């Protein structure tokens, strides 16, 4: 019962427990003691060398467990810090995107719009609800599409910032306006272009 309570409490569960008995030496008692969390179970009379060897093993295991716990705690702290850093970076990026006067789009490789900046909607007059998940081709002048599509194919191979051809974009009122753009591919963990 003492072993069960020690192992159930987070404050004491790392304390090694060695059960020593002269009364209950049968296999069932040994198994029961080990299942309660004992790290070793010895029966009297105890050989001095066996006791020393068992204690060395128990302390070696405890040292390894302590090192693993310290590493886990260190990793948890690192993950928490990196998560906080990522949230801060994401908040900054979102602020810049939302307050930039540049017209910013993000597209999938097949030309579906996954993001358009607020300035895009202010300038073009498009409804944000209608733009999300629409195709880039819906807004580019048909005469300019071959050059834009060729450019998009090339940027997937080049994987670097590039200046696409100037192209006309349809505004919400139906008029066409020339735009000059720069494209930056977003790369995945293996260096592949993901958008």
């Amino acid at each position: 019962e003492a072993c069960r309570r020690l192992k159930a409490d987070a404050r004491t569960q790392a304390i090694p427990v060695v059960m020593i008995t002269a009364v209950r030496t049968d296999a069932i008692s040994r198994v029961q003691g080990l299942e309660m969390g004992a790290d070793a179970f010895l029966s009297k009379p105890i050989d001095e060398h066996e006791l020393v060897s068992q204690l060395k093993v128990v302390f070696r295991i405890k040292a390894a467990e302590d090192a693993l716990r310290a590493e886990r705690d260190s990793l948890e702290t690192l993950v928490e810090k990196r998560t906080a850093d990522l949230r801060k970076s994401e908040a900054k990026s979102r602020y810049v995107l939302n307050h930039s006067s540049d017209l910013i789009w993000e597209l999938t490789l097949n030309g579906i719009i996954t993001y358009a900046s607020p300035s895009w909607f202010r300038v073009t007059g498009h409804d944000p609800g209608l733009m999300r998940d629409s195709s880039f081709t819906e807004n580019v002048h048909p005469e300019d599409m071959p050059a834009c599509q060729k450019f998009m194919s090339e940027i997937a191979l080049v994987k670097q910032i590039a200046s696409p051809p100037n192209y006309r974009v349809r505004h919400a009122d139906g008029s066409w306006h020339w735009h000059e753009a720069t494209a930056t591919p977003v790369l995945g963990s293996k260096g592949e272009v993901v958008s």
Side-chain angles (χ1 to χ4, degrees), residues 7 13-17 39 54-72:
K7 295 301 182 177
Q13 65 187 198
I15 295 173
V17 174
D39 297 283
Q54 287 285 357
L55 290 175
K56 285 180 180 177
V57 168
V58 166
F59 289 127
R60 191 167 53 241
I61 291 170
K62 181 182 183 323
E65 288 175 345
D66 288 348
L68 285 173
R69 269 190 297 278
E71 186 175 345
R72 182 199 64 212

mmCIF file with all atom_site columns, all heavy atoms in Angstrom, residues 7 13-17 39 54-72:
data_model
loop_
_atom_site.group_PDB
_atom_site.id
_atom_site.type_symbol
_atom_site.label_atom_id
_atom_site.label_alt_id
_atom_site.label_comp_id
_atom_site.label_asym_id
_atom_site.label_entity_id
_atom_site.label_seq_id
_atom_site.pdbx_PDB_ins_code
_atom_site.Cartn_x
_atom_site.Cartn_y
_atom_site.Cartn_z
_atom_site.occupancy
_atom_site.B_iso_or_equiv
_atom_site.pdbx_formal_charge
_atom_site.auth_seq_id
_atom_site.auth_comp_id
_atom_site.auth_asym_id
_atom_site.auth_atom_id
_atom_site.pdbx_PDB_model_num
ATOM 1   N N   . LYS A 1 7  ? 3.866  5.682  -5.700  1.00 0.00 ? 7  LYS A N   1
ATOM 2   C CA  . LYS A 1 7  ? 3.888  5.692  -7.157  1.00 0.00 ? 7  LYS A CA  1
ATOM 3   C C   . LYS A 1 7  ? 2.694  6.437  -7.753  1.00 0.00 ? 7  LYS A C   1
ATOM 4   O O   . LYS A 1 7  ? 2.752  6.890  -8.896  1.00 0.00 ? 7  LYS A O   1
ATOM 5   C CB  . LYS A 1 7  ? 3.937  4.256  -7.705  1.00 0.00 ? 7  LYS A CB  1
ATOM 6   C CG  . LYS A 1 7  ? 5.216  3.521  -7.348  1.00 0.00 ? 7  LYS A CG  1
ATOM 7   C CD  . LYS A 1 7  ? 6.443  4.237  -7.873  1.00 0.00 ? 7  LYS A CD  1
ATOM 8   C CE  . LYS A 1 7  ? 7.726  3.483  -7.558  1.00 0.00 ? 7  LYS A CE  1
ATOM 9   N NZ  . LYS A 1 7  ? 8.910  4.130  -8.125  1.00 0.00 ? 7  LYS A NZ  1
ATOM 10  N N   . GLN A 1 13 ? 6.568  9.740  -7.171  1.00 0.00 ? 13 GLN A N   1
ATOM 11  C CA  . GLN A 1 13 ? 6.579  8.565  -8.041  1.00 0.00 ? 13 GLN A CA  1
ATOM 12  C C   . GLN A 1 13 ? 7.954  8.211  -8.594  1.00 0.00 ? 13 GLN A C   1
ATOM 13  O O   . GLN A 1 13 ? 8.190  7.082  -8.995  1.00 0.00 ? 13 GLN A O   1
ATOM 14  C CB  . GLN A 1 13 ? 5.563  8.714  -9.178  1.00 0.00 ? 13 GLN A CB  1
ATOM 15  C CG  . GLN A 1 13 ? 5.861  9.811  -10.143 1.00 0.00 ? 13 GLN A CG  1
ATOM 16  C CD  . GLN A 1 13 ? 4.734  10.016 -11.150 1.00 0.00 ? 13 GLN A CD  1
ATOM 17  O OE1 . GLN A 1 13 ? 4.986  10.624 -12.161 1.00 0.00 ? 13 GLN A OE1 1
ATOM 18  N NE2 . GLN A 1 13 ? 3.561  9.513  -10.903 1.00 0.00 ? 13 GLN A NE2 1
ATOM 19  N N   . ALA A 1 14 ? 8.887  9.151  -8.588  1.00 0.00 ? 14 ALA A N   1
ATOM 20  C CA  . ALA A 1 14 ? 10.231 8.865  -9.104  1.00 0.00 ? 14 ALA A CA  1
ATOM 21  C C   . ALA A 1 14 ? 11.153 8.263  -8.049  1.00 0.00 ? 14 ALA A C   1
ATOM 22  O O   . ALA A 1 14 ? 12.275 7.864  -8.358  1.00 0.00 ? 14 ALA A O   1
ATOM 23  C CB  . ALA A 1 14 ? 10.858 10.136 -9.665  1.00 0.00 ? 14 ALA A CB  1
ATOM 24  N N   . ILE A 1 15 ? 10.681 8.168  -6.807  1.00 0.00 ? 15 ILE A N   1
ATOM 25  C CA  . ILE A 1 15 ? 11.509 7.579  -5.743  1.00 0.00 ? 15 ILE A CA  1
ATOM 26  C C   . ILE A 1 15 ? 11.582 6.068  -5.956  1.00 0.00 ? 15 ILE A C   1
ATOM 27  O O   . ILE A 1 15 ? 10.542 5.411  -6.059  1.00 0.00 ? 15 ILE A O   1
ATOM 28  C CB  . ILE A 1 15 ? 10.910 7.876  -4.345  1.00 0.00 ? 15 ILE A CB  1
ATOM 29  C CG1 . ILE A 1 15 ? 10.947 9.383  -4.074  1.00 0.00 ? 15 ILE A CG1 1
ATOM 30  C CG2 . ILE A 1 15 ? 11.646 7.106  -3.253  1.00 0.00 ? 15 ILE A CG2 1
ATOM 31  C CD1 . ILE A 1 15 ? 10.228 9.784  -2.803  1.00 0.00 ? 15 ILE A CD1 1
ATOM 32  N N   . PRO A 1 16 ? 12.781 5.495  -6.031  1.00 0.00 ? 16 PRO A N   1
ATOM 33  C CA  . PRO A 1 16 ? 12.877 4.045  -6.205  1.00 0.00 ? 16 PRO A CA  1
ATOM 34  C C   . PRO A 1 16 ? 12.388 3.314  -4.950  1.00 0.00 ? 16 PRO A C   1
ATOM 35  O O   . PRO A 1 16 ? 12.650 3.744  -3.831  1.00 0.00 ? 16 PRO A O   1
ATOM 36  C CB  . PRO A 1 16 ? 14.370 3.791  -6.407  1.00 0.00 ? 16 PRO A CB  1
ATOM 37  C CG  . PRO A 1 16 ? 14.991 5.117  -6.651  1.00 0.00 ? 16 PRO A CG  1
ATOM 38  C CD  . PRO A 1 16 ? 14.080 6.138  -6.049  1.00 0.00 ? 16 PRO A CD  1
ATOM 39  N N   . VAL A 1 17 ? 11.662 2.226  -5.174  1.00 0.00 ? 17 VAL A N   1
ATOM 40  C CA  . VAL A 1 17 ? 11.152 1.416  -4.060  1.00 0.00 ? 17 VAL A CA  1
ATOM 41  C C   . VAL A 1 17 ? 11.705 0.005  -4.224  1.00 0.00 ? 17 VAL A C   1
ATOM 42  O O   . VAL A 1 17 ? 11.504 -0.625 -5.258  1.00 0.00 ? 17 VAL A O   1
ATOM 43  C CB  . VAL A 1 17 ? 9.604  1.383  -4.051  1.00 0.00 ? 17 VAL A CB  1
ATOM 44  C CG1 . VAL A 1 17 ? 9.108  0.425  -2.984  1.00 0.00 ? 17 VAL A CG1 1
ATOM 45  C CG2 . VAL A 1 17 ? 9.042  2.778  -3.847  1.00 0.00 ? 17 VAL A CG2 1
ATOM 46  N N   . ASP A 1 39 ? 10.494 -1.217 -7.694  1.00 0.00 ? 39 ASP A N   1
ATOM 47  C CA  . ASP A 1 39 ? 11.565 -1.301 -8.684  1.00 0.00 ? 39 ASP A CA  1
ATOM 48  C C   . ASP A 1 39 ? 12.380 -2.588 -8.523  1.00 0.00 ? 39 ASP A C   1
ATOM 49  O O   . ASP A 1 39 ? 13.066 -3.000 -9.456  1.00 0.00 ? 39 ASP A O   1
ATOM 50  C CB  . ASP A 1 39 ? 12.475 -0.073 -8.553  1.00 0.00 ? 39 ASP A CB  1
ATOM 51  C CG  . ASP A 1 39 ? 11.700 1.201  -8.861  1.00 0.00 ? 39 ASP A CG  1
ATOM 52  O OD1 . ASP A 1 39 ? 11.468 1.476  -10.047 1.00 0.00 ? 39 ASP A OD1 1
ATOM 53  O OD2 . ASP A 1 39 ? 11.303 1.900  -7.909  1.00 0.00 ? 39 ASP A OD2 1
ATOM 54  N N   . GLN A 1 54 ? 21.341 -5.077 -6.994  1.00 0.00 ? 54 GLN A N   1
ATOM 55  C CA  . GLN A 1 54 ? 19.967 -4.607 -7.243  1.00 0.00 ? 54 GLN A CA  1
ATOM 56  C C   . GLN A 1 54 ? 19.873 -3.097 -7.043  1.00 0.00 ? 54 GLN A C   1
ATOM 57  O O   . GLN A 1 54 ? 19.233 -2.390 -7.837  1.00 0.00 ? 54 GLN A O   1
ATOM 58  C CB  . GLN A 1 54 ? 18.968 -5.316 -6.316  1.00 0.00 ? 54 GLN A CB  1
ATOM 59  C CG  . GLN A 1 54 ? 18.700 -6.747 -6.672  1.00 0.00 ? 54 GLN A CG  1
ATOM 60  C CD  . GLN A 1 54 ? 17.800 -6.877 -7.894  1.00 0.00 ? 54 GLN A CD  1
ATOM 61  O OE1 . GLN A 1 54 ? 17.326 -5.906 -8.465  1.00 0.00 ? 54 GLN A OE1 1
ATOM 62  N NE2 . GLN A 1 54 ? 17.577 -8.119 -8.307  1.00 0.00 ? 54 GLN A NE2 1
ATOM 63  N N   . LEU A 1 55 ? 20.498 -2.569 -6.010  1.00 0.00 ? 55 LEU A N   1
ATOM 64  C CA  . LEU A 1 55 ? 20.455 -1.124 -5.752  1.00 0.00 ? 55 LEU A CA  1
ATOM 65  C C   . LEU A 1 55 ? 21.163 -0.348 -6.864  1.00 0.00 ? 55 LEU A C   1
ATOM 66  O O   . LEU A 1 55 ? 20.689 0.703  -7.288  1.00 0.00 ? 55 LEU A O   1
ATOM 67  C CB  . LEU A 1 55 ? 21.059 -0.799 -4.389  1.00 0.00 ? 55 LEU A CB  1
ATOM 68  C CG  . LEU A 1 55 ? 20.240 -1.261 -3.179  1.00 0.00 ? 55 LEU A CG  1
ATOM 69  C CD1 . LEU A 1 55 ? 20.989 -0.985 -1.886  1.00 0.00 ? 55 LEU A CD1 1
ATOM 70  C CD2 . LEU A 1 55 ? 18.873 -0.604 -3.159  1.00 0.00 ? 55 LEU A CD2 1
ATOM 71  N N   . LYS A 1 56 ? 22.289 -0.888 -7.352  1.00 0.00 ? 56 LYS A N   1
ATOM 72  C CA  . LYS A 1 56 ? 22.983 -0.230 -8.464  1.00 0.00 ? 56 LYS A CA  1
ATOM 73  C C   . LYS A 1 56 ? 22.081 -0.159 -9.699  1.00 0.00 ? 56 LYS A C   1
ATOM 74  O O   . LYS A 1 56 ? 22.007 0.877  -10.380 1.00 0.00 ? 56 LYS A O   1
ATOM 75  C CB  . LYS A 1 56 ? 24.285 -0.970 -8.808  1.00 0.00 ? 56 LYS A CB  1
ATOM 76  C CG  . LYS A 1 56 ? 25.408 -0.727 -7.825  1.00 0.00 ? 56 LYS A CG  1
ATOM 77  C CD  . LYS A 1 56 ? 26.642 -1.500 -8.232  1.00 0.00 ? 56 LYS A CD  1
ATOM 78  C CE  . LYS A 1 56 ? 27.785 -1.276 -7.256  1.00 0.00 ? 56 LYS A CE  1
ATOM 79  N NZ  . LYS A 1 56 ? 28.971 -2.069 -7.601  1.00 0.00 ? 56 LYS A NZ  1
ATOM 80  N N   . VAL A 1 57 ? 21.392 -1.258 -9.996  1.00 0.00 ? 57 VAL A N   1
ATOM 81  C CA  . VAL A 1 57 ? 20.478 -1.281 -11.141 1.00 0.00 ? 57 VAL A CA  1
ATOM 82  C C   . VAL A 1 57 ? 19.355 -0.266 -10.941 1.00 0.00 ? 57 VAL A C   1
ATOM 83  O O   . VAL A 1 57 ? 19.023 0.499  -11.848 1.00 0.00 ? 57 VAL A O   1
ATOM 84  C CB  . VAL A 1 57 ? 19.906 -2.711 -11.356 1.00 0.00 ? 57 VAL A CB  1
ATOM 85  C CG1 . VAL A 1 57 ? 18.745 -2.689 -12.344 1.00 0.00 ? 57 VAL A CG1 1
ATOM 86  C CG2 . VAL A 1 57 ? 20.995 -3.658 -11.831 1.00 0.00 ? 57 VAL A CG2 1
ATOM 87  N N   . VAL A 1 58 ? 18.767 -0.266 -9.744  1.00 0.00 ? 58 VAL A N   1
ATOM 88  C CA  . VAL A 1 58 ? 17.660 0.653  -9.452  1.00 0.00 ? 58 VAL A CA  1
ATOM 89  C C   . VAL A 1 58 ? 18.124 2.102  -9.616  1.00 0.00 ? 58 VAL A C   1
ATOM 90  O O   . VAL A 1 58 ? 17.420 2.926  -10.220 1.00 0.00 ? 58 VAL A O   1
ATOM 91  C CB  . VAL A 1 58 ? 17.106 0.400  -8.031  1.00 0.00 ? 58 VAL A CB  1
ATOM 92  C CG1 . VAL A 1 58 ? 16.214 1.543  -7.576  1.00 0.00 ? 58 VAL A CG1 1
ATOM 93  C CG2 . VAL A 1 58 ? 16.347 -0.921 -7.990  1.00 0.00 ? 58 VAL A CG2 1
ATOM 94  N N   . PHE A 1 59 ? 19.290 2.434  -9.092  1.00 0.00 ? 59 PHE A N   1
ATOM 95  C CA  . PHE A 1 59 ? 19.777 3.817  -9.193  1.00 0.00 ? 59 PHE A CA  1
ATOM 96  C C   . PHE A 1 59 ? 20.181 4.178  -10.625 1.00 0.00 ? 59 PHE A C   1
ATOM 97  O O   . PHE A 1 59 ? 20.028 5.321  -11.052 1.00 0.00 ? 59 PHE A O   1
ATOM 98  C CB  . PHE A 1 59 ? 20.926 4.066  -8.212  1.00 0.00 ? 59 PHE A CB  1
ATOM 99  C CG  . PHE A 1 59 ? 20.469 4.108  -6.785  1.00 0.00 ? 59 PHE A CG  1
ATOM 100 C CD1 . PHE A 1 59 ? 21.067 3.318  -5.818  1.00 0.00 ? 59 PHE A CD1 1
ATOM 101 C CD2 . PHE A 1 59 ? 19.409 4.923  -6.415  1.00 0.00 ? 59 PHE A CD2 1
ATOM 102 C CE1 . PHE A 1 59 ? 20.626 3.356  -4.504  1.00 0.00 ? 59 PHE A CE1 1
ATOM 103 C CE2 . PHE A 1 59 ? 18.971 4.970  -5.096  1.00 0.00 ? 59 PHE A CE2 1
ATOM 104 C CZ  . PHE A 1 59 ? 19.583 4.176  -4.128  1.00 0.00 ? 59 PHE A CZ  1
ATOM 105 N N   . ARG A 1 60 ? 20.694 3.191  -11.382 1.00 0.00 ? 60 ARG A N   1
ATOM 106 C CA  . ARG A 1 60 ? 21.017 3.439  -12.787 1.00 0.00 ? 60 ARG A CA  1
ATOM 107 C C   . ARG A 1 60 ? 19.727 3.735  -13.575 1.00 0.00 ? 60 ARG A C   1
ATOM 108 O O   . ARG A 1 60 ? 19.666 4.666  -14.375 1.00 0.00 ? 60 ARG A O   1
ATOM 109 C CB  . ARG A 1 60 ? 21.762 2.238  -13.372 1.00 0.00 ? 60 ARG A CB  1
ATOM 110 C CG  . ARG A 1 60 ? 22.353 2.511  -14.732 1.00 0.00 ? 60 ARG A CG  1
ATOM 111 C CD  . ARG A 1 60 ? 23.345 1.445  -15.193 1.00 0.00 ? 60 ARG A CD  1
ATOM 112 N NE  . ARG A 1 60 ? 22.810 0.101  -15.149 1.00 0.00 ? 60 ARG A NE  1
ATOM 113 C CZ  . ARG A 1 60 ? 23.322 -0.896 -14.399 1.00 0.00 ? 60 ARG A CZ  1
ATOM 114 N NH1 . ARG A 1 60 ? 24.397 -0.697 -13.663 1.00 0.00 ? 60 ARG A NH1 1
ATOM 115 N NH2 . ARG A 1 60 ? 22.783 -2.091 -14.410 1.00 0.00 ? 60 ARG A NH2 1
ATOM 116 N N   . ILE A 1 61 ? 18.690 2.954  -13.315 1.00 0.00 ? 61 ILE A N   1
ATOM 117 C CA  . ILE A 1 61 ? 17.399 3.190  -13.972 1.00 0.00 ? 61 ILE A CA  1
ATOM 118 C C   . ILE A 1 61 ? 16.840 4.540  -13.564 1.00 0.00 ? 61 ILE A C   1
ATOM 119 O O   . ILE A 1 61 ? 16.345 5.302  -14.394 1.00 0.00 ? 61 ILE A O   1
ATOM 120 C CB  . ILE A 1 61 ? 16.407 2.049  -13.649 1.00 0.00 ? 61 ILE A CB  1
ATOM 121 C CG1 . ILE A 1 61 ? 16.860 0.764  -14.329 1.00 0.00 ? 61 ILE A CG1 1
ATOM 122 C CG2 . ILE A 1 61 ? 14.981 2.420  -14.074 1.00 0.00 ? 61 ILE A CG2 1
ATOM 123 C CD1 . ILE A 1 61 ? 16.109 -0.478 -13.896 1.00 0.00 ? 61 ILE A CD1 1
ATOM 124 N N   . LYS A 1 62 ? 16.949 4.868  -12.266 1.00 0.00 ? 62 LYS A N   1
ATOM 125 C CA  . LYS A 1 62 ? 16.438 6.158  -11.800 1.00 0.00 ? 62 LYS A CA  1
ATOM 126 C C   . LYS A 1 62 ? 17.191 7.309  -12.458 1.00 0.00 ? 62 LYS A C   1
ATOM 127 O O   . LYS A 1 62 ? 16.585 8.297  -12.880 1.00 0.00 ? 62 LYS A O   1
ATOM 128 C CB  . LYS A 1 62 ? 16.541 6.290  -10.285 1.00 0.00 ? 62 LYS A CB  1
ATOM 129 C CG  . LYS A 1 62 ? 15.975 7.631  -9.795  1.00 0.00 ? 62 LYS A CG  1
ATOM 130 C CD  . LYS A 1 62 ? 16.094 7.820  -8.320  1.00 0.00 ? 62 LYS A CD  1
ATOM 131 C CE  . LYS A 1 62 ? 15.480 9.096  -7.825  1.00 0.00 ? 62 LYS A CE  1
ATOM 132 N NZ  . LYS A 1 62 ? 15.583 10.264 -8.626  1.00 0.00 ? 62 LYS A NZ  1
ATOM 133 N N   . ALA A 1 63 ? 18.504 7.189  -12.594 1.00 0.00 ? 63 ALA A N   1
ATOM 134 C CA  . ALA A 1 63 ? 19.287 8.251  -13.241 1.00 0.00 ? 63 ALA A CA  1
ATOM 135 C C   . ALA A 1 63 ? 18.862 8.419  -14.698 1.00 0.00 ? 63 ALA A C   1
ATOM 136 O O   . ALA A 1 63 ? 18.712 9.546  -15.189 1.00 0.00 ? 63 ALA A O   1
ATOM 137 C CB  . ALA A 1 63 ? 20.778 7.931  -13.145 1.00 0.00 ? 63 ALA A CB  1
ATOM 138 N N   . ALA A 1 64 ? 18.618 7.295  -15.387 1.00 0.00 ? 64 ALA A N   1
ATOM 139 C CA  . ALA A 1 64 ? 18.175 7.377  -16.779 1.00 0.00 ? 64 ALA A CA  1
ATOM 140 C C   . ALA A 1 64 ? 16.794 8.016  -16.865 1.00 0.00 ? 64 ALA A C   1
ATOM 141 O O   . ALA A 1 64 ? 16.536 8.859  -17.733 1.00 0.00 ? 64 ALA A O   1
ATOM 142 C CB  . ALA A 1 64 ? 18.156 5.981  -17.405 1.00 0.00 ? 64 ALA A CB  1
ATOM 143 N N   . GLU A 1 65 ? 15.884 7.639  -15.965 1.00 0.00 ? 65 GLU A N   1
ATOM 144 C CA  . GLU A 1 65 ? 14.543 8.230  -15.951 1.00 0.00 ? 65 GLU A CA  1
ATOM 145 C C   . GLU A 1 65 ? 14.605 9.723  -15.632 1.00 0.00 ? 65 GLU A C   1
ATOM 146 O O   . GLU A 1 65 ? 13.882 10.521 -16.231 1.00 0.00 ? 65 GLU A O   1
ATOM 147 C CB  . GLU A 1 65 ? 13.647 7.509  -14.941 1.00 0.00 ? 65 GLU A CB  1
ATOM 148 C CG  . GLU A 1 65 ? 13.251 6.113  -15.395 1.00 0.00 ? 65 GLU A CG  1
ATOM 149 C CD  . GLU A 1 65 ? 12.461 5.346  -14.333 1.00 0.00 ? 65 GLU A CD  1
ATOM 150 O OE1 . GLU A 1 65 ? 12.458 5.771  -13.154 1.00 0.00 ? 65 GLU A OE1 1
ATOM 151 O OE2 . GLU A 1 65 ? 11.860 4.308  -14.683 1.00 0.00 ? 65 GLU A OE2 1
ATOM 152 N N   . ASP A 1 66 ? 15.466 10.097 -14.688 1.00 0.00 ? 66 ASP A N   1
ATOM 153 C CA  . ASP A 1 66 ? 15.625 11.522 -14.350 1.00 0.00 ? 66 ASP A CA  1
ATOM 154 C C   . ASP A 1 66 ? 16.124 12.311 -15.557 1.00 0.00 ? 66 ASP A C   1
ATOM 155 O O   . ASP A 1 66 ? 15.657 13.415 -15.828 1.00 0.00 ? 66 ASP A O   1
ATOM 156 C CB  . ASP A 1 66 ? 16.597 11.697 -13.173 1.00 0.00 ? 66 ASP A CB  1
ATOM 157 C CG  . ASP A 1 66 ? 16.003 11.248 -11.843 1.00 0.00 ? 66 ASP A CG  1
ATOM 158 O OD1 . ASP A 1 66 ? 14.779 11.022 -11.776 1.00 0.00 ? 66 ASP A OD1 1
ATOM 159 O OD2 . ASP A 1 66 ? 16.783 11.107 -10.870 1.00 0.00 ? 66 ASP A OD2 1
ATOM 160 N N   . ALA A 1 67 ? 17.085 11.725 -16.287 1.00 0.00 ? 67 ALA A N   1
ATOM 161 C CA  . ALA A 1 67 ? 17.612 12.399 -17.481 1.00 0.00 ? 67 ALA A CA  1
ATOM 162 C C   . ALA A 1 67 ? 16.520 12.539 -18.540 1.00 0.00 ? 67 ALA A C   1
ATOM 163 O O   . ALA A 1 67 ? 16.394 13.597 -19.176 1.00 0.00 ? 67 ALA A O   1
ATOM 164 C CB  . ALA A 1 67 ? 18.805 11.626 -18.040 1.00 0.00 ? 67 ALA A CB  1
ATOM 165 N N   . LEU A 1 68 ? 15.717 11.499 -18.723 1.00 0.00 ? 68 LEU A N   1
ATOM 166 C CA  . LEU A 1 68 ? 14.611 11.569 -19.689 1.00 0.00 ? 68 LEU A CA  1
ATOM 167 C C   . LEU A 1 68 ? 13.583 12.621 -19.273 1.00 0.00 ? 68 LEU A C   1
ATOM 168 O O   . LEU A 1 68 ? 13.072 13.373 -20.108 1.00 0.00 ? 68 LEU A O   1
ATOM 169 C CB  . LEU A 1 68 ? 13.937 10.201 -19.827 1.00 0.00 ? 68 LEU A CB  1
ATOM 170 C CG  . LEU A 1 68 ? 14.710 9.159  -20.618 1.00 0.00 ? 68 LEU A CG  1
ATOM 171 C CD1 . LEU A 1 68 ? 14.014 7.799  -20.536 1.00 0.00 ? 68 LEU A CD1 1
ATOM 172 C CD2 . LEU A 1 68 ? 14.850 9.578  -22.075 1.00 0.00 ? 68 LEU A CD2 1
ATOM 173 N N   . ARG A 1 69 ? 13.271 12.664 -17.970 1.00 0.00 ? 69 ARG A N   1
ATOM 174 C CA  . ARG A 1 69 ? 12.312 13.679 -17.482 1.00 0.00 ? 69 ARG A CA  1
ATOM 175 C C   . ARG A 1 69 ? 12.856 15.083 -17.703 1.00 0.00 ? 69 ARG A C   1
ATOM 176 O O   . ARG A 1 69 ? 12.129 15.978 -18.138 1.00 0.00 ? 69 ARG A O   1
ATOM 177 C CB  . ARG A 1 69 ? 12.016 13.463 -15.996 1.00 0.00 ? 69 ARG A CB  1
ATOM 178 C CG  . ARG A 1 69 ? 10.825 12.565 -15.737 1.00 0.00 ? 69 ARG A CG  1
ATOM 179 C CD  . ARG A 1 69 ? 10.418 12.585 -14.274 1.00 0.00 ? 69 ARG A CD  1
ATOM 180 N NE  . ARG A 1 69 ? 11.446 12.062 -13.403 1.00 0.00 ? 69 ARG A NE  1
ATOM 181 C CZ  . ARG A 1 69 ? 11.650 10.767 -13.179 1.00 0.00 ? 69 ARG A CZ  1
ATOM 182 N NH1 . ARG A 1 69 ? 10.904 9.874  -13.774 1.00 0.00 ? 69 ARG A NH1 1
ATOM 183 N NH2 . ARG A 1 69 ? 12.604 10.371 -12.378 1.00 0.00 ? 69 ARG A NH2 1
ATOM 184 N N   . ALA A 1 70 ? 14.139 15.276 -17.426 1.00 0.00 ? 70 ALA A N   1
ATOM 185 C CA  . ALA A 1 70 ? 14.746 16.599 -17.627 1.00 0.00 ? 70 ALA A CA  1
ATOM 186 C C   . ALA A 1 70 ? 14.728 16.977 -19.107 1.00 0.00 ? 70 ALA A C   1
ATOM 187 O O   . ALA A 1 70 ? 14.417 18.113 -19.467 1.00 0.00 ? 70 ALA A O   1
ATOM 188 C CB  . ALA A 1 70 ? 16.180 16.604 -17.092 1.00 0.00 ? 70 ALA A CB  1
ATOM 189 N N   . GLU A 1 71 ? 15.022 15.990 -19.981 1.00 0.00 ? 71 GLU A N   1
ATOM 190 C CA  . GLU A 1 71 ? 14.994 16.256 -21.422 1.00 0.00 ? 71 GLU A CA  1
ATOM 191 C C   . GLU A 1 71 ? 13.570 16.573 -21.879 1.00 0.00 ? 71 GLU A C   1
ATOM 192 O O   . GLU A 1 71 ? 13.355 17.481 -22.676 1.00 0.00 ? 71 GLU A O   1
ATOM 193 C CB  . GLU A 1 71 ? 15.544 15.051 -22.183 1.00 0.00 ? 71 GLU A CB  1
ATOM 194 C CG  . GLU A 1 71 ? 15.682 15.305 -23.675 1.00 0.00 ? 71 GLU A CG  1
ATOM 195 C CD  . GLU A 1 71 ? 16.328 14.146 -24.401 1.00 0.00 ? 71 GLU A CD  1
ATOM 196 O OE1 . GLU A 1 71 ? 16.925 13.270 -23.749 1.00 0.00 ? 71 GLU A OE1 1
ATOM 197 O OE2 . GLU A 1 71 ? 16.219 14.121 -25.635 1.00 0.00 ? 71 GLU A OE2 1
ATOM 198 N N   . ARG A 1 72 ? 12.599 15.815 -21.379 1.00 0.00 ? 72 ARG A N   1
ATOM 199 C CA  . ARG A 1 72 ? 11.200 16.071 -21.728 1.00 0.00 ? 72 ARG A CA  1
ATOM 200 C C   . ARG A 1 72 ? 10.786 17.475 -21.289 1.00 0.00 ? 72 ARG A C   1
ATOM 201 O O   . ARG A 1 72 ? 10.165 18.220 -22.043 1.00 0.00 ? 72 ARG A O   1
ATOM 202 C CB  . ARG A 1 72 ? 10.281 15.030 -21.077 1.00 0.00 ? 72 ARG A CB  1
ATOM 203 C CG  . ARG A 1 72 ? 8.807  15.210 -21.450 1.00 0.00 ? 72 ARG A CG  1
ATOM 204 C CD  . ARG A 1 72 ? 7.878  14.528 -20.493 1.00 0.00 ? 72 ARG A CD  1
ATOM 205 N NE  . ARG A 1 72 ? 8.006  15.131 -19.183 1.00 0.00 ? 72 ARG A NE  1
ATOM 206 C CZ  . ARG A 1 72 ? 7.843  14.487 -18.037 1.00 0.00 ? 72 ARG A CZ  1
ATOM 207 N NH1 . ARG A 1 72 ? 7.569  13.210 -18.025 1.00 0.00 ? 72 ARG A NH1 1
ATOM 208 N NH2 . ARG A 1 72 ? 7.971  15.120 -16.888 1.00 0.00 ? 72 ARG A NH2 1
#
